[in-house]
Amino acid sequence: MTTKIEPNTTRRSAPNQQRSRDTLEQILIAAADLIEEVGFEKLSTNMICRRAELTPPALYRYFPNKYSVLKELGERLMVQQNILMENWSLDAGDLSNLEAEIETLLFETIRVTRQTKAGAWIMRSMHATPVLAGVRVESHRHVARLLAERIIETRPDLDHGHILPSARLSVEIGYAVVEMVFDERSIDEGEILRQTASMLAFSLRQAMSHQA
């Protein structure tokens, strides 16, 4: 039985000089442009080099393959999405506006994704490419931990071990709906986000009430 070798997704160099940082950004911009045009499956390092007007050795100085480029784009998108949760002020002692707050958070996540070049395609690549799944999973775990911490901050009577699974489920559902908004253009975006916010608010209230 042969062992499957996963491609290396670790970026090779952290640029220190401005010229190197500019080259790195040039690569990422070219890759994002191409993902929108051909999709992440057909994307290749040769295509990126041609679009960025770089030689392959110049690209390989930073990225060993296209998966490493996609990982960098995915991590950057996830950071921007995660900042929304990091800045979210949740009062678990007063949940009267929880639906509206969750709905706003979902809208903002969609807005950030749309503002990111090839944001929807980058998000799809994190979901559909097994070697990149860890980027998405770790990001979702991070957001779930933040959500659980926000709840515990104002409700220290609650057990973190009980709240975290509910927070993790809420995060997974929320991101799934965000992806669906980009994939199902025929749906009423506002309505689906309202329904999702209502469902997630109910689930979180239930989790907290069981601990009260």
Side-chain angles (χ1 to χ4, degrees):
M1 180 177 178
T2 59
T3 301
K4 183 178 180 181
I5 300 175
E6 297 287 355
N8 179 22
T9 59
T10 303
R11 194 176 72 191
R12 283 180 170 156
S13 175
N16 295 318
Q17 298 181 349
Q18 186 61 48
R19 182 177 178 181
S20 297
R21 289 194 292 269
D22 291 343
T23 300
L24 178 66
E25 294 304 315
Q26 192 175 346
I27 293 169
L28 295 174
I29 291 170
D33 285 339
L34 287 165
I35 293 171
E36 288 189 322
E37 294 175 19
V38 303
F40 55 87
E41 292 180 346
K42 293 182 179 179
L43 181 70
S44 71
T45 52
N46 286 335
M47 294 171 66
I48 296 172
C49 288
R50 287 194 295 270
R51 179 61 60 90
E53 298 182 344
L54 296 170
T55 63
L59 184 147
Y60 293 137
R61 189 175 300 131
Y62 304 99
F63 301 102
N65 49 53
K66 75 171 186 177
Y67 299 104
S68 180
V69 179
L70 287 169
K71 180 182 178 183
E72 180 79 14
L73 290 171
E75 287 175 340
R76 291 188 176 201
L77 173 61
M78 297 298 167
V79 165
Q80 293 304 309
Q81 292 177 338
N82 293 354
I83 286 173
L84 298 172
M85 177 60 74
E86 291 167 3
N87 294 334
W88 191 30
S89 179
L90 172 65
D91 182 359
D94 180 10
L95 300 178
S96 58
N97 295 319
L98 186 57
E99 286 91 346
E101 292 173 356
I102 293 175
E103 186 178 342
T104 297
L105 193 61
L106 292 170
F107 268 118
E108 287 299 298
T109 302
I110 291 170
R111 179 187 62 79
V112 165
T113 306
R114 284 188 172 131
Q115 287 184 346
T116 301
K117 180 68 174 176
W121 277 102
I122 294 168
M123 191 166 56
R124 292 184 189 105
S125 73
M126 297 299 105
H127 194 90
T129 310
V131 71
L132 300 177
V135 177
R136 173 180 55 85
V137 171
E138 184 50 43
S139 175
H140 292 189
R141 287 173 179 164
H142 173 66
V143 174
R145 288 192 293 267
L146 287 174
L147 176 55
E149 288 167 6
R150 293 291 184 275
I151 294 172
I152 298 297
E153 283 173 4
T154 54
R155 288 286 306 278
D157 57 303
L158 299 178
D159 177 62
H160 186 273
H162 177 81
I163 294 300
L164 184 57
S166 296
R168 183 68 179 84
L169 178 60
S170 297
V171 168
E172 199 65 31
I173 292 172
Y175 276 111
V177 170
V178 168
E179 288 187 28
M180 186 178 70
V181 165
F182 287 98
D183 292 336
E184 294 286 350
R185 301 297 179 87
S186 62
I187 66 171
D188 184 327
E189 180 178 314
E191 180 59 27
I192 199 66
L193 293 189
R194 281 189 291 274
Q195 290 184 23
T196 303
S198 177
M199 178 177 62
L200 295 181
F202 176 80
S203 177
L204 288 172
R205 285 195 182 101
Q206 287 290 102
M208 287 182 270
S209 67
H210 288 168
Q211 286 272 288

